Amino acid sequence: MEASLDIQYIMGVAPHVKTEFWMYSNYDFCGDLRNWTTTLLTFNGVPLVHSVSYGWQGDLTQIQCAMDKVEDVDDNFVKLAAMGITILFSSGDSGSGYNPGGFCSSTKPGIKGIAYTGEVLNKVPATSAWSCCRRTLSSSRPFTFIPDAVGVHGTCIEWKSVNGTVTHHGAVSGNNPPPPPKLYPSWPASSPWVTAVGATRFVDQKVGNAEMATDQFGSGGGFSDMFSQDDAKWQIDAV
């Protein structure tokens, strides 16, 4: 669907411009990007402008992107930029990709066999360690789930402070300490060697008016910790 929309928008505003569609269907995001950029470097008659509407906002290891692949892709972006090839990437749909830090997995909500010790803030009945984790997710407070004798339900302990741990069969503890929040701008749009393109809308929602950055959803942005800003002196005033 995304690729179909791209083709319609590109060819709709430039119907007589020669347009090609390149597809890689291995579902290995970074591997496919490396394959694609490597092919561009060796392809005779490579198109001068490329538009890509895909990216990832978050830890790239979550989609099995090893850093050697990421580095290979960015090295290829450098070479393509030196060749005068323009590559446009969508900036994303989730703003700066803010990750509040807390996360509750239904299969691994915390550390098994460990109970925290410290000052208790609250104790409530809970059906599972996962429900206990979700209860404390918004506050990112440490929790310990202690199952009852039957092992079906238990008690959710929300900690005001934690000063240690003890071994406790069946217990599950988590969110201690809560991971710090982090911004994740979309990659490869965040690469210094490509052009990131965000969404726009017409001012006052009237066709024909001037365009402005969309305010109807998060359209990418943020600061990347993958790349240095040292060479982007033109960004200093804006930053």
Side-chain angles (χ1 to χ4, degrees):
M1 178 63 73
E2 194 81 32
S4 176
L5 288 172
D6 285 354
I7 294 171
Q8 292 177 52
Y9 271 106
I10 291 170
M11 300 188 72
V13 297
H16 299 295
V17 172
K18 183 179 179 181
T19 304
E20 299 179 5
F21 178 69
W22 292 37
M23 181 177 71
Y24 292 83
S25 56
N26 290 332
Y27 303 105
D28 173 6
F29 184 63
C30 283
D32 291 342
L33 283 174
R34 182 168 62 179
N35 185 11
W36 168 61
T37 53
T38 300
T39 302
L40 292 181
L41 290 169
T42 58
F43 189 77
N44 185 26
V46 59
L48 298 178
V49 180
H50 299 257
S51 176
V52 185
S53 288
Y54 296 97
W56 180 257
Q57 288 187 264
D59 185 348
L60 288 169
T61 61
Q62 294 175 325
I63 54 172
Q64 291 74 54
C65 275
M67 283 310 298
D68 62 322
K69 291 183 180 179
V70 175
E71 291 170 358
D72 286 347
V73 171
D74 273 297
D75 286 346
N76 285 345
F77 284 154
V78 173
K79 298 172 185 176
L80 289 166
M83 291 169 55
I85 305 300
T86 298
I87 301 180
L88 310 174
F89 271 94
S90 59
S91 61
D93 297 332
S94 302
S96 58
Y98 173 73
N99 176 6
F103 178 72
C104 290
S105 167
S106 59
T107 57
K108 192 177 180 181
I111 304 171
K112 294 182 178 179
I114 293 294
Y116 292 143
T117 60
E119 185 178 355
V120 175
L121 179 66
N122 197 14
K123 284 186 179 183
V124 295
T127 57
S128 65
W130 181 61
S131 66
C132 184
C133 176
R134 287 181 58 83
R135 177 182 176 82
T136 61
L137 182 61
S138 60
S139 65
S140 289
R141 289 191 180 277
F143 74 89
T144 296
F145 173 76
I146 305 293
D148 59 20
V150 180
V152 177
H153 301 294
T155 301
C156 178
I157 305 172
E158 186 176 2
W159 300 95
K160 185 174 183 180
S161 63
V162 170
N163 57 23
T165 63
V166 294
T167 301
H168 191 297
H169 179 70
V172 177
S173 298
N175 285 350
N176 181 52
K182 189 171 185 177
L183 297 181
Y184 273 114
S186 181
W187 183 85
S190 59
S191 170
W193 312 108
V194 304
T195 300
V197 180
T200 63
R201 70 170 178 84
F202 291 114
V203 173
D204 296 329
Q205 303 289 4
K206 184 177 180 181
V207 176
N209 280 0
E211 287 184 88
M212 59 174 280
T214 185
D215 53 5
Q216 296 169 299
F217 66 96
S219 182
F223 298 91
S224 173
D225 61 4
M226 292 173 59
F227 307 101
S228 170
Q229 195 202 2
D230 293 344
D231 295 329
K233 304 301 183 186
W234 48 272
Q235 288 184 336
I236 292 176
D237 289 342
V239 174

